[in-house]
Amino acid sequence: MEYILVTILLFISIVVYFKIADKYNIIDKPNHRSAHTQITLRGGGVIFPVAFIIFALFKFNLVIEEYWSFGLGLLAICMISFIDDIRTLSNKIRLAIHLISVILLLYFTGAFVLMPFWVWPVLFILIIGTLNAYNFMDGINGMTGIYSLVTLSSLAYVNREIVQFTDHDFIYYPILACLVFLFFNFRKKAKCFAGDVGSMGIGFWVIGLITLLIMKTSEYKYILLLSIYGVEVVLTIIERILLKENIFEAHRRHLYQLFANEKKVSHLVISSAYAVVQLIINIFLIHSHLPIWIVLLIIFIPTGCLYLGLKLSLKKKYSL
């Protein structure tokens, strides 16, 4: 009954947001880099911070005791991202809020206690890099929602069947938010896009859960629950560096963008394919007892070769 009520509240929240976005013209207009062609409401990803607010209302004592720092970090990064969705902000302001949010996240996960101080800068770089990867990959209908749903579902399975590293509802609430968001986004003509507030918000939540799991188990393999995003973003950055492009400027060189823009493959097919490949990896990863270096080779060699093969084939065909 609780989950039905939460789902209803999330539906109401996003519908109310649609009315606000429509009134104040919070929209995403397509440009030469876009993989979409029609004007669409932006910022539907507000549903993810709303999901945490609902979680806090239902689990008030738990949040006050354990989850307050995560909540502050999430709301801070979502607030600055939402403002950035509406008007362009200074990179310094965004970076400052991101750093504060990551500090709160690491405090929440116990990393400052469990990890030596010289590892902290590495964690900062990894987390901010992963957050930006989430943002980079949010370019077509369904991608952020269904990929996050696969990762969250995998984490929920680990939490229930292998080792409990957090409250079950702390994973179930963002799963419900993903499902509600996908109802409006997983369409040929999406009702809304996640916006930076959505990609950064759910990315922050997923990263927080994975970090909690790693701190609980000391199993660094769980970072590979995001391996498809990792392969895509890292190899695309390397490609842009080799081409002497500014890696901080927007572009259309991601593999999913080539499929969507040049090959005209359905966004829903591309998003589903990414999610299915990550799901297969997750099943192997969760049940594997191999040394981490072997797991890395088993995952990254095939996915890297697949990525490069598809990318070269598309670039050759379309003379890119």
Side-chain angles (χ1 to χ4, degrees), residues 4-65:
I4 294 175
L5 178 58
V6 170
T7 303
I8 292 171
L9 290 173
L10 289 169
F11 261 108
I12 293 172
S13 299
I14 199 167
V15 169
V16 169
Y17 172 74
F18 288 162
K19 294 185 180 299
I20 295 171
D22 190 49
K23 181 178 180 180
Y24 292 99
N25 206 35
I26 306 174
I27 57 175
D28 198 321
K29 294 181 179 179
N31 55 43
H32 69 282
R33 295 187 304 269
S34 302
H36 59 283
T37 56
Q38 68 279 343
I39 293 175
T40 309
L41 294 178
R42 177 189 291 184
V46 296
I47 196 169
F48 299 118
V50 167
F52 180 80
I53 293 171
I54 295 172
F55 173 77
L57 294 174
F58 277 82
K59 309 281 183 178
F60 183 77
N61 290 334
L62 185 63
V63 170
I64 293 298
E65 292 174 6

Side-chain angles (χ1 to χ4, degrees), residues 75-269:
L75 295 178
I77 204 167
C78 286
M79 178 186 68
I80 201 68
S81 298
F82 184 71
I83 294 172
D84 199 41
D85 276 331
I86 299 173
R87 51 180 295 183
T88 303
L89 288 175
S90 163
N91 288 333
K92 292 180 181 179
I93 295 174
R94 285 191 291 110
L95 182 59
I97 299 299
H98 287 183
L99 286 172
I100 292 170
S101 294
V102 173
I103 289 172
L104 289 165
L105 178 65
L106 292 176
Y107 175 82
F108 162 68
T109 60
F112 290 135
V113 175
L114 297 172
M115 304 296 287
F117 74 91
W118 58 268
V119 176
W120 300 351
V122 177
L123 293 176
F124 273 94
I125 294 170
L126 282 174
I127 291 174
I128 290 178
T130 306
L131 281 170
N132 281 284
Y134 242 92
N135 201 22
F136 296 155
M137 294 298 291
D138 180 38
I140 59 175
N141 300 352
M143 179 69 87
T144 293
I146 197 168
Y147 189 86
S148 298
L149 184 62
V150 164
T151 306
L152 289 166
S153 299
S154 301
L155 287 163
Y157 175 83
V158 171
N159 195 52
R160 184 163 291 280
E161 301 296 333
I162 298 177
V163 56
Q164 184 170 356
F165 60 94
T166 190
D167 184 86
H168 295 302
D169 287 343
F170 191 56
I171 308 178
Y172 294 157
Y173 277 53
I175 286 177
L176 293 175
C178 281
L179 291 171
V180 173
F181 174 71
L182 283 168
F183 178 79
F184 297 101
N185 178 257
F186 195 76
R187 306 180 182 194
K188 184 177 181 179
K189 294 184 178 180
K191 173 72 174 176
C192 69
F193 296 142
D196 285 358
V197 62
S199 58
M200 298 299 277
I202 192 59
F204 189 85
W205 206 325
V206 168
I207 292 166
L209 287 166
I210 291 176
T211 307
L212 269 180
L213 177 56
I214 291 172
M215 294 301 152
K216 175 73 174 183
T217 63
S218 297
E219 291 277 1
Y220 295 97
K221 70 177 185 177
Y222 289 113
I223 191 64
L224 298 177
L225 291 170
L226 297 174
S227 54
I228 292 299
Y229 269 18
V231 168
E232 171 96 13
V233 171
V234 170
L235 291 181
T236 302
I237 289 174
I238 291 173
E239 176 188 9
R240 299 195 71 202
I241 290 173
L242 293 175
L243 292 172
K244 298 182 180 180
E245 294 179 353
N246 185 345
I247 63 172
F248 299 104
E249 290 183 353
H251 62 94
R252 287 176 55 162
R253 292 197 179 279
H254 281 296
L255 181 61
Y256 77 84
Q257 292 172 318
L258 296 181
F259 271 112
N261 298 322
E262 272 65 42
K263 199 168 175 60
K264 306 300 180 184
V265 177
S266 163
H267 289 197
L268 308 188
V269 171

